[in-house]
C-alpha cells in the first residue's frame, strides 16, 4: 500500500492538474541526469540502457509526436506515421524506438546539451498549450505522454546503477513494512481495468477479465534481504532442485552464486552494491536486483511459489490495509506477460504487443517509480533474466482444503 496516497487519481488528471503533472514529470526526468558531467553522458554502448541524449530526445519526440502531430495512421510496414512534421525533435527515424534499433542509438548526431534543453522546454510548453479542459478521450494523449515520461525517469535511475554513478537525488530504499502472511479466500475476481472505471488505462489492462482463484496465502510484504540471505547461506544457489530448466541454464551462464550486486567479506559479512558504492547489507530492506529465476528458486527452497499476477492483484485490491506494496521494489510474478482475451492495441501500438510472451509480468512499484505510476492493476514487464531493474518479489502458497 502506498505510504503517501496521491490526493487525486492520477489516471484522471486533466486541465491545470495535468499540466502541473507534465511539468513535474519533466522536472523529475531532468533531475535524474542534470548533475552528470559530459563524460558521464557519453558512455559507450551498453545493453539494456540508452544513451542519455537520445533518451531525452526520444521522450520529447514522443510527447510531440502523439500530442501535436496527429492524426496518426499505420502504414504498410506497420509503423505509425503522423500527419504533421516535427517542430522540436526529429526526424522520426532518429527518435522513434520502433524505427531505430537499440545499437544504432549511439550513432545518431547528438544535439548539444544546452540546445537539447531548449528544445525540450519548447516542446513541453507547446504540448501544455493545447491541453483540453478535460475528458478521458480528449486527455488521452497527454496522459499517455505523462506516464511514458515517468517510465523513462525511472529508467534513468537504473541506468545510474548499471553505470556505477551516484544515486539520483531523493532515491532511497526503505526497510520493509509489515510481516507474516495473509490468508485470502479467493473466489470470483475481475482482473484488469474495470470497464466502468473512468480515467486512462494502458492497453494491456484491457478489457477486464473474469478469473477464479482458489484460496491462497500470500506474504504481506516483499521478501527481505535477510530472508534471502538465509537461502544463500543454506546453499540455495548450488542445489539444482531449486533451479529447473531455463532457470538452471541462466544460473550456469552467469555463474550465479548469490545476487549479482552482493559480495561476502571477511567474517561472513555481506555487502550490497548501491549505485556507486558498497554498503552493508540491511536485512530489513527488500531484496532487490534479483532475476525472476532467483525469485523462483527462493520460493522453491521455502516450499512456496511465486504469486501469479492475478493473485497479486487480488491481494492488492481486496486487502489494501494489510497488503504492503509500492515505493519499494517491483515484484516478479509467475505470470508471463500476455494479452488479456480480446486485447486491442492502443494508439501507441508498440507499448505492449511486441513484448507479449517472452517477458515476465511484475507488479507494484519501486522507490524510483513516481507515485502516480503505482496502481494495483498496472502491469510492468521485463525479461525474466534481468537483474538491473529494481525488482524483488514476495511468496505465496496454496491453502490446504478445509477438513
Amino acid at each position: 500500500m502506498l505510504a503517501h496516497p496521491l490526493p487525486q487519481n492520477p489516471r484522471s488528471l486533466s486541465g491545470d492538474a495535468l499540466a502541473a503533472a507534465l511539468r513535474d514529470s519533466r522536472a523529475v526526468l531532468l533531475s535524474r541526469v542534470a548533475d552528470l558531467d559530459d563524460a558521464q553522458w557519453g558512455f559507450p554502448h551498453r545493453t539494456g540502457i540508452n544513451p542519455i541524449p537520445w533518451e531525452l530526445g526520444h521522450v520529447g519526440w514522443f510527447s510531440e509526436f502523439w500530442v501535436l502531430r496527429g492524426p496518426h495512421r499505420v502504414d504498410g510496414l506497420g509503423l505509425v506515421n503522423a500527419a504533421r512534421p516535427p517542430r522540436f525533435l526529429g526526424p522520426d527515424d532518429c527518435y522513434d524506438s520502433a524505427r531505430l534499433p537499440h545499437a544504432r542509438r549511439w550513432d545518431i548526431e547528438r544535439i548539444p546539451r544546452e540546445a537539447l534543453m531548449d528544445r525540450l522546454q519548447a516542446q513541453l510548453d507547446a504540448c501544455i498549450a493545447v491541453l483540453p479542459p478535460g475528458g478521458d478521450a480528449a486527455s488521452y494523449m497527454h496522459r499517455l505522454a505523462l506516464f511514458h515520461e515517468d517510465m523513462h525517469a525511472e529508467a534513468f535511475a537504473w541506468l545510474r546503477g548499471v553505470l556505477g554513478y551516484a544515486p539520483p537525488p531523493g532515491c532511497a530504499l526503505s526497510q520493509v513494512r509489515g510481516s507474516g502472511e495473509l490468508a485470502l479466500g479467493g473466489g470470483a475476481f475481475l482482473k484488469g481495468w474495470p470497464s466502468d472505471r473512468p480515467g486512462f488505462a494502458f492497453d494491456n489492462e484491457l478489457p477486464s477479465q473474469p478469473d477464479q482463484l482458489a484460496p491462497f496465502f500470500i506474504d504481506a510484504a516483499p521478501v527481505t534481504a535477510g530472508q534471502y540471505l538465509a537461502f544463500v547461506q543454506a546453499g540455495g544457489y548450488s542445489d539444482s532442485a531449486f533451479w529447473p530448466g531455463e532457470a538452471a541454464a541462466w544460473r550456469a551462464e552467469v555463474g550465479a552464486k548469490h545476487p549479482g550486486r552482493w559480495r561476502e567479506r571477511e567474517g561472513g559479512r555481506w555487502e550490497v552494491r548501491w549505485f556507486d558504492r558498497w554498503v552493508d547489507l540491511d536485512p530489513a530492506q527488500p531484496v532487490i536486483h534479483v532475476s525472476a529465476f532467483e525469485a523462483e528458486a527462493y520460493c522453491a527452497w521455502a516450499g512456496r511459489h511465486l504469486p501469479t499476477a492475478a493473485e497479486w492483484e487480488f491481494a492488492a485490491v481486496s486487502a489494501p490495509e494489510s497488503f504492503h506494496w509500492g515505493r519499494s521494489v517491483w515484484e516478479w510474478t509467475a505470470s508471463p506477460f500476455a494479452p488479456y482475451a480480446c486485447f486491442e492495441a492502443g494508439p501507441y501500438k508498440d507499448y505492449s504487443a511486441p513484448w507479449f510472451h517472452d517477458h515476465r509480468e511484475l507488479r507494484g512499484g519501486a522507490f524510483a517509480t513516481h507515485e502516480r505510476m503505482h496502481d494495483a492493476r498496472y502491469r510492468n514487464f521485463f525479461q525474466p533474466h534481468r537483474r538491473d531493474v529494481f525488482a524483488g518479489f514476495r511468496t505465496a502458497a496454496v491453502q490446504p482444503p478445509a477438513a
Side-chain angles (χ1 to χ4, degrees):
M1 185 173 62
L2 282 177
H4 305 291
L6 295 170
Q8 181 178 356
N9 179 3
R11 298 287 190 99
S12 295
L13 291 172
S14 60
D16 290 344
L18 182 52
L22 288 163
R23 293 189 180 97
D24 168 72
S25 185
R26 179 60 53 83
V28 173
L29 179 81
L30 296 180
S31 75
R32 298 275 165 94
V33 294
D35 63 314
L36 302 179
D37 60 33
D38 290 343
Q40 290 172 311
W41 273 46
F43 61 87
H45 177 267
R46 290 287 295 267
T47 301
I49 56 178
N50 289 308
I52 292 172
W54 181 88
E55 189 150 356
L56 288 171
H58 164 75
V59 169
W61 168 88
F62 185 96
S63 295
E64 179 184 354
F65 182 85
W66 289 108
V67 171
L68 300 176
R69 295 178 52 196
H72 303 87
R73 63 176 181 81
V74 179
D75 65 20
L77 299 176
L79 297 171
V80 179
N81 292 280
R84 298 178 178 87
R87 293 165 50 194
F88 306 106
L89 290 148
D92 298 344
D93 287 343
C94 288
Y95 290 106
D96 184 354
S97 56
R99 289 174 164 87
L100 188 70
H102 182 266
R104 289 180 51 205
R105 295 171 193 175
W106 274 261
D107 299 334
I108 68 168
E109 183 178 357
R110 296 183 178 181
I111 303 169
R113 190 164 173 169
E114 185 175 348
L116 178 57
M117 296 300 106
D118 291 341
R119 292 197 198 185
L120 287 169
Q121 186 60 56
Q123 165 269 309
L124 179 62
D125 291 342
C127 287
I128 290 175
V130 297
L131 261 171
D136 286 344
S139 301
Y140 181 91
M141 293 304 184
H142 281 86
R143 293 172 182 170
L144 174 67
L146 170 67
F147 294 124
H148 175 264
E149 191 149 341
D150 286 340
M151 294 176 202
H152 280 276
E154 180 170 354
F156 276 153
W158 87 61
L159 173 148
R160 295 177 70 124
V162 169
L163 296 174
Y165 297 168
C171 280
L173 185 61
S174 299
Q175 295 183 336
V176 168
R177 298 180 302 114
S179 61
E181 66 178 9
L182 308 178
L184 299 178
F189 171 55
L190 190 67
K191 67 183 180 182
W193 194 266
S195 59
D196 59 351
R197 185 181 181 187
F200 177 91
F202 291 95
D203 60 7
N204 61 55
E205 298 168 341
L206 299 169
S208 56
Q209 306 284 298
D211 207 336
Q212 185 75 27
L213 294 177
F216 65 100
F217 299 108
I218 191 166
D219 293 341
V223 169
T224 66
Q227 291 171 317
Y228 198 87
L229 178 59
F231 165 65
V232 173
Q233 293 178 324
Y237 275 77
S238 60
D239 191 332
S240 60
F242 307 133
W243 300 85
E246 189 179 3
W250 172 85
R251 179 187 54 156
E253 181 181 354
V254 302
K257 298 179 180 179
H258 50 70
R261 299 192 188 189
W262 287 26
R263 70 181 184 186
E264 187 175 11
R265 310 301 281 172
E266 291 184 5
R269 182 171 62 87
W270 285 84
E271 293 180 335
V272 298
R273 184 73 178 183
W274 179 251
F275 289 88
D276 61 337
R277 67 201 64 179
W278 288 96
V279 299
D280 288 338
L281 181 147
D282 183 345
Q285 286 185 340
V287 66
I288 191 172
H289 294 302
V290 290
S291 69
F293 302 131
E294 291 168 293
E296 289 171 329
Y298 174 93
C299 290
W301 171 78
R304 295 169 70 84
H305 68 262
L306 205 57
T308 65
E311 287 173 331
W312 194 100
E313 185 176 325
F314 180 88
V317 172
S318 63
E321 299 302 319
S322 306
F323 187 76
H324 300 282
W325 65 276
R327 305 301 293 169
S328 176
V329 290
W330 287 104
E331 301 179 35
W332 291 109
T333 74
S335 301
F337 181 56
Y340 290 162
C342 303
F343 166 83
E344 293 185 11
Y348 177 27
K349 68 181 189 61
D350 287 325
Y351 175 64
S352 301
W355 320 115
F356 286 143
H357 306 298
D358 70 342
H359 282 51
R360 184 73 68 86
E361 189 164 337
L362 301 94
R363 293 301 185 102
F367 65 92
T369 311
H370 201 291
E371 287 195 26
R372 63 177 152 256
M373 290 295 299
H374 291 65
D375 191 284
R377 294 173 175 84
Y378 179 69
R379 307 172 70 197
N380 202 355
F381 49 94
F382 285 101
Q383 290 178 305
H385 69 271
R386 294 282 293 267
R387 288 168 130 185
D388 56 328
V389 296
F390 304 125
F393 65 98
R394 72 180 74 211
T395 75
V398 175
Q399 286 192 38

